[in-house]
């Protein structure tokens, strides 16, 4: 199997906002092959000048695993092309079939050189925030196997983080909501993320160390959604809110 060709196909699907068929329908790929394809497709982005802005974890909650029919945690890379600011516009024409989900984000303050845990993590992050992640599977009908979605950089498409709050701000057992204007779309609890969203930061550090993936000051880690994702449409104002973390919004056009 030609990893390069598949990586190019997925990268082009994202660039042209044009869905492709699932790899797994034609090739039996393993997890490590899927991550190898992901790496190549991300290197295409870097070659175009995109800069890495962090890492994201996926399927860290039962709500997400059940919605998408998969069973394991996955991780992907974030770049500056995906980054949006609070209240900025998101143009539907740049995406295939985008969905939004509410997340919690961490800001790295020191290069991650060991696996993080409860005793050391405050030396490595200087902020927590509520975030919106926009996922946009490059596969037709948003359908994939675990390997397919990994190769596709875990559907990463865009994200916006709210104001950064001190790293000691409580993020455990807090309500997290996704809204369209004042209409609630989903409500969840932060502990739906691996029992405690900090576990997601710890897992990101473990994966970064194991794979030689830099997590450097200023990088963002997205912990994964606590609720299912929703398809978005032009005209919506998508807001993620979490108790004690405020809110972040994007305007869909
Ligand atoms: C894969 C991405 C999952 C999350 O927060 O669980 C994810 C997908 O659902 O398309 O970002
Ligand atoms: Mg997500």
């Amino acid at each position: 199997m030609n990893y390069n060709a598949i990586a190019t196909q997925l990268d082009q699907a994202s660039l042209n906002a044009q869905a492709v068929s699932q790899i797994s329908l034609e090739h039996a790929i393993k997890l490590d092959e899927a991550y190898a394809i992901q790496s190549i497709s991300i290197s295409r982005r870097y070659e175009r000048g995109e800069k890495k802005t962090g890492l994201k974890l996926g399927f860290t909650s039962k709500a997400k695993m059940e919605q998408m029919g998969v069973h394991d945690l996955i991780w992907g890379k974030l770049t500056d092309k995906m980054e949006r600011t609070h209240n900025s516009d998101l143009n539907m024409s740049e995406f295939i079939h985008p969905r939004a989900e509410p997340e919690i984000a961490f800001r790295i303050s020191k290069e991650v050189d060991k696996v993080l845990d409860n005793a050391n993590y405050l030396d490595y992050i200087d902020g927590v925030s509520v975030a919106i992640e926009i996922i946009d599977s490059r596969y037709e009908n948003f359908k994939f196997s675990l390997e397919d979605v990994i190769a596709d950089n875990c559907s990463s498409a865009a994200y916006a983080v709210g104001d950064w709050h001190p790293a000691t701000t409580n993020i455990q057992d807090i309500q997290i909501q996704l809204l369209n204007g004042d209409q609630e779309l989903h409500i969840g609890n932060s502990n739906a993320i691996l029992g405690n969203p900090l576990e997601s930061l710890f897992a990101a550090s473990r994966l970064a160390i194991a794979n030689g993936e830099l997590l450097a000051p200023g990088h963002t880690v997205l912990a994964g959604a606590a609720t299912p994702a929703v398809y978005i449409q032009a005209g919506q104002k998508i807001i993620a809110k979490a108790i004690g973390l405020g809110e972040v919004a994007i305007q869909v056009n």
Side-chain angles (χ1 to χ4, degrees):
M1 189 195 355
N2 186 337
Y3 295 171
N4 275 301
I6 297 172
T8 299
Q9 199 189 16
L10 288 167
D11 181 53
Q12 290 294 314
S14 164
L15 263 182
N16 303 327
Q18 191 82 49
V20 293
S21 62
Q22 286 172 247
I23 309 165
S24 61
L25 299 180
E26 276 185 51
H27 306 278
I29 50 167
K30 301 199 184 73
L31 278 185
D32 57 336
E33 295 177 306
Y35 279 110
I37 295 167
Q38 180 193 111
S39 279
I40 300 170
S41 90
I42 292 297
S43 61
R44 302 264 191 279
R45 286 177 174 263
Y46 298 155
E47 283 155 18
R48 285 195 294 274
E50 288 181 43
K51 300 274 177 289
K52 179 171 154 185
T53 53
L55 298 178
K56 68 161 273 183
L57 284 127
F59 304 138
T60 49
S61 69
K62 274 215 178 71
K64 280 288 302 182
M65 284 193 258
E66 278 168 11
Q67 181 182 33
M68 305 316 292
V70 297
H71 55 273
D72 212 354
L73 185 156
I74 58 177
W75 65 294
K77 285 122 203 165
L78 302 173
T79 73
D80 57 351
K81 191 183 175 196
M82 302 175 193
E83 206 175 356
R84 298 291 187 285
T85 52
H86 174 52
N87 272 336
S88 63
D89 291 331
L90 189 91
N91 194 336
M92 285 292 286
S93 67
E94 292 172 28
F95 304 94
I96 302 165
H97 37 208
R99 286 170 145 166
E101 51 191 26
E103 303 228 1
I104 285 173
F106 301 96
R107 185 171 62 188
I108 302 294
S109 57
K110 176 180 172 190
E111 187 172 323
V112 174
D113 53 4
K114 59 164 77 108
V115 176
L116 303 189
D117 57 27
N118 276 311
N120 65 17
Y121 80 94
L122 286 172
D123 296 337
Y124 290 85
I125 67 164
D126 65 359
V128 293
S129 71
V130 65
I132 297 170
E133 184 180 18
I134 304 296
I135 51 173
D136 189 32
S137 176
R138 267 56 69 165
Y139 301 113
E140 286 156 0
N141 306 316
F142 225 112
K143 277 193 67 189
F144 43 69
S145 67
L146 196 62
E147 291 79 10
D148 286 328
V149 66
I150 289 167
D152 184 28
N153 194 29
C154 308
S155 310
S156 307
Y159 69 97
V161 297
D163 286 341
W164 291 106
H165 292 255
T168 49
T169 308
N170 177 49
I171 53 167
Q172 287 183 47
D173 198 17
I174 57 168
Q175 190 189 79
I176 178 159
Q177 244 180 329
L178 186 70
L179 303 105
N180 168 24
D182 53 17
Q183 177 204 355
E184 183 181 286
L185 302 173
H186 277 299
I187 185 161
N189 183 289
S190 64
N191 283 7
I193 306 162
L194 297 175
N196 168 2
L198 280 174
E199 291 296 335
S200 195
L201 173 70
F202 303 161
S205 72
R206 194 164 17 82
L207 289 161
I209 297 283
N211 293 281
E213 187 68 40
L214 181 69
L215 259 183
H219 278 167
T220 297
V221 173
L222 291 182
T227 74
V230 292
Y231 283 113
I232 57 174
Q233 296 168 24
Q236 290 180 324
K237 182 175 184 176
I238 298 292
I239 304 167
K241 266 190 196 174
I243 305 286
L245 296 177
E247 63 179 60
V248 58
I250 50 162
Q251 180 63 48
V252 187
N253 288 313

